[in-house]
Amino acid sequence: MQVRETPPFAPVLMESTRAIGYSLEAAIADIIDNSIAAKAGKAQLSFFPVGDAYVSILDNGTGMDDAQMNIAMQYGSKSPTETRDSSDLGRYGLGLKTASLSQCRVLTVISKQGDQVIGRRWDLDYVIKTGAWSLLILDKEDFASVPHISDLYEQDSGTLVVWQNLDRLLMGEVDYEKSLGRKMDEVRQHLELVFHRYLSGESGIKKLEILFNGVKLKAADPFLIKKSTQAMDTETLVIRGKRILVTPYILPHISKMTEEEKNQLGGKDGIRKRQGFYVYRNKRLLIWGTWFRMMRQGDLSKLARVMVDIPNDLDDLWTLDIKKSHAIPPAEVRNSLQTVIDRIADKSKRTWTFRGKKETSDSVEHMWTRLKTPENGIVYEINRDHVLVDQIVAEAPEIRGKLETLLKYIERGIPLNQLYIDLNNDEKIENDADMGEQEMFKTLEQMLSVLPSSIMRREMLEKIEHTDPFCGYPDVIRALKAKEDGNVKP
C-alpha cells in the first residue's frame, strides 16, 4: 500500500465536514448520483450492520482511471460554476467524500475499466495520525478484504464504494435492532421517492435499477400521475436561455386511493405534509413538500403537487446547498410560481369539496347550495329546486310543509364538528361512495315510472342530465333515453 499526500491542509477540516448534516438516506442518495453520472444501469446497495459492519454501493457504470479517481477523491474537485454534462448530478465535487465520511471513518472506492482495477481509501484515523491529507492507494492485496470486490470483478466496468467503521450510524440509539430496521426503511423510502423517475424509466433518461440487499426498489410516484389531474398545461419559464418546466397536478381525493397508493404518498400525514413544489434537477428529486413560503400548507390544498424541472446549469440561481436538500427559487421564478399556486390551490380546494368526484360545471344543479349570510357566515342548504324535491311535492302537494320542516332539521342537524375531525383524519366517508350504474338505473326507472307519458319521461331525463348526482351517469341516462325513444310511436 502506498500513500499519496496532498499539499498540507488542516486534517481537522475532514472531521469538521462530517457535521454538515447528512442523514444516512441523503448520503446514500449522493453516492447513487455519481452512479447516474457514470451512466450506470444498476446500483446495488448492501447494508451489513453486524460484526464488521459496512455499507456498500456497487454500480455498473463507466468506472474511473487513475486520474479520474484522484480527482474524485480530492476535496472540492469541481467548481460550482463549472459547465458539466446534463446527466451530472454533482455540483461542488464534495458529495462522495462528505456524504460518505458523514457516516463512516473509512471510505474505500475501487473502480474497474476493462482489466484495470484501481482503489483509493480515506481513513480518518490515519489522516489524524499522519497530520496530513494522506490518501491511501490500494493494491490487489488490499482489494481482497473489501466487501463485494468479487462482484465488481465480474463486471466489465463499474465502481464500488464501501463505508466501514460506521461510527455515526447508530450514535445515541438505545434500541439497536429497532433503530436499524427504521433506518433501513427510511433509506428505502427515500431512494424510491428521490429517484422515482429513474426507477420508472421515464423518457429522456437512462433507467436505473436499484437493489437494496438484493430486493429491487419500486418507484414512488408522488403525483400518482396515472390517476391525478393535470391542473393546467406545463408552463415553460426561460431563465438565461435555459428552460424551467412547471407542471401542476391535483391528486385524486384520498377516498379514491388504494392503501398502497396512500402509503406511497407517505400515509395520511404525508399526504398533507408533502403538498407543494417538487423540484427536480435533471429529474432527480431535490426538494419536496414546500410552498417556499408563498402559501401556507392547509387541508384544502393538500392534494396539490407541482413538478418543477430545473437544469443543472442554474444551480447558482437556486442557491443549491452541498447536500442538495435545500434550494430557494430566484425572484424571476417565484413570480411565475405564484401564479401557478393561485390556480392550483383553487382546483385542489374544489377537488376536496367535491370529495373526489369529477368536477362539474356551473350549469349543474347541485343537491346542496352554499350561501353567505349578511353577517358573513356560511349556510349549507338542501336545494329546494332540486328535481327530487320537485317530484316529491308534485306527487303529494299536501306534504310540502312537513317536507320543508324535515329538510330544515336535516340541515341544522349536520354533525359539523365530527365531520371536520373525520375529514382532517382523512377517514373514508362511506356514504360518499358513488352509486353503481345498475343501482342508478333502477333509481331513475322508479322516478320515471310515475310519469304518465313517454314525452314527459324524456323531458325529465333532459333535466336530470344536468343535475347532481345524475349527471355523473351519462351512459345510464343515454340508455334510458334510447328506451323512451323506442316507446314513442311514429
Side-chain angles (χ1 to χ4, degrees), residues 38-55:
K39 316 296 184 187
K42 178 188 286 187
Q44 301 179 69
L45 168 62
S46 298
F47 194 2
F48 186 76
V50 297
D52 295 327
Y54 67 84
V55 173

Side-chain angles (χ1 to χ4, degrees), residues 66-109:
D66 265 306
Q68 291 170 323
M69 176 70 84
N70 289 334
I71 292 174
M73 296 298 277
Q74 177 183 329
Y75 271 65
S77 56
K78 288 184 180 179
S79 166
T81 59
E82 180 181 324
T83 301
R84 49 178 52 83
D85 186 87
S86 61
S87 64
D88 190 347
L89 297 176
R91 186 186 181 202
Y92 294 93
L94 289 169
L96 173 62
K97 288 77 64 177
T98 55
S100 299
L101 295 174
S102 71
Q103 306 298 316
C104 69
R105 297 192 67 79
V106 178
L107 164 63
T108 302
V109 181

Side-chain angles (χ1 to χ4, degrees), residues 188-455:
R188 175 183 56 77
Q189 292 167 6
H190 185 80
L191 298 181
E192 288 181 335
L193 175 62
V194 166
F195 296 106
H196 75 92
R197 297 170 78 175
Y198 287 87
L199 291 169
S200 64
E202 184 174 311
S203 176
I205 54 178
K206 183 174 182 179
K207 184 174 183 178
L208 178 67
E209 181 181 74
I210 303 178
L211 287 86
F212 187 2
N213 286 347
V215 178
K216 187 184 296 187
L217 299 188
K218 299 178 181 178
D221 175 15
F223 304 100
L224 296 183
I225 288 178
K226 292 181 179 180
K227 292 182 71 171
S228 296
T229 302
Q230 187 170 329
M232 50 188 280
D233 291 339
T234 298
E235 185 170 343
T236 302
L237 313 179
V238 180
I239 308 293
R240 290 183 184 172
K242 305 297 181 180
R243 297 192 307 163
I244 297 174
L245 304 180
V246 182
T247 311
Y249 292 92
I250 301 295
L251 298 178
H253 190 272
I254 192 169
S255 64
K256 309 299 179 184
M257 299 180 195
T258 65
E259 286 302 316
E260 183 180 356
E261 288 168 341
K262 292 175 191 175
N263 292 333
Q264 181 177 314
L265 295 172
K268 291 181 179 180
D269 291 339
I271 291 174
R272 185 184 190 283
K273 292 178 181 177
R274 292 184 182 181
Q275 64 181 281
F277 290 106
Y278 283 65
V279 181
Y280 294 81
R281 180 169 170 268
N282 296 344
K283 301 191 178 182
R284 190 268 207 205
L285 184 58
L286 299 177
I287 312 293
W288 61 92
T290 176
W291 290 115
F292 294 122
R293 297 186 180 181
M294 291 186 279
M295 181 176 78
R296 293 181 62 184
Q297 286 193 337
D299 285 316
L300 294 181
S301 60
K302 67 182 174 183
L303 300 178
R305 307 285 187 275
V306 185
M307 180 188 293
V308 181
D309 278 301
I310 64 173
N312 62 6
D313 38 15
L314 292 180
D315 287 351
D316 59 317
L317 278 179
W318 287 76
T319 58
L320 187 65
D321 68 354
I322 291 174
K323 296 178 295 176
K324 290 172 280 191
S325 62
H326 178 75
I328 301 173
E332 52 263 60
V333 175
R334 287 175 68 90
N335 293 337
S336 297
L337 293 184
Q338 187 63 60
T339 302
V340 173
I341 283 177
D342 294 340
R343 294 183 191 176
I344 194 172
D346 180 62
K347 286 184 178 290
S348 176
K349 179 178 178 181
R350 278 183 279 167
T351 301
W352 181 251
T353 303
F354 284 101
R355 304 283 295 140
K357 295 185 177 69
K358 183 177 180 181
E359 190 173 315
T360 51
S361 66
D362 292 336
S363 61
V364 170
E365 189 78 21
H366 293 290
M367 179 68 75
W368 287 84
T369 56
R370 179 179 181 270
L371 306 172
K372 274 196 172 184
T373 67
E375 297 78 22
N376 288 323
I378 301 297
V379 172
Y380 286 91
E381 292 183 347
I382 295 175
N383 181 7
R384 302 301 195 269
D385 295 323
H386 193 275
V387 63
L388 286 175
V389 177
D390 279 347
Q391 189 174 44
I392 292 171
V393 173
E395 289 179 29
E398 70 278 4
I399 69 166
R400 180 187 293 273
K402 292 181 180 179
L403 179 61
E404 178 66 27
T405 301
L406 174 62
L407 296 182
K408 285 183 178 179
Y409 275 116
I410 291 173
E411 292 163 349
R412 294 174 183 174
I414 300 173
L416 295 175
N417 290 334
Q418 188 59 51
L419 273 173
Y420 178 80
I421 293 170
D422 289 339
L423 292 174
N424 278 301
N425 288 331
D426 289 324
E427 299 292 345
K428 184 175 181 180
I429 311 299
E430 293 293 345
N431 60 328
D432 183 54
D434 288 330
M435 185 183 293
E437 287 196 353
Q438 188 174 0
E439 186 180 356
M440 177 57 73
F441 191 92
K442 290 180 179 179
T443 299
L444 288 177
E445 274 194 323
Q446 185 179 8
M447 285 178 56
L448 297 172
S449 65
V450 300
L451 299 176
S453 70
S454 186
I455 294 176

Side-chain angles (χ1 to χ4, degrees), residues 363-366 386-387 463-472:
S363 61
V364 170
E365 189 78 21
H366 293 290
H386 193 275
V387 63
K463 184 175 182 179
I464 65 175
E465 194 171 18
H466 303 286
T467 303
D468 186 35
F470 311 114
C471 58

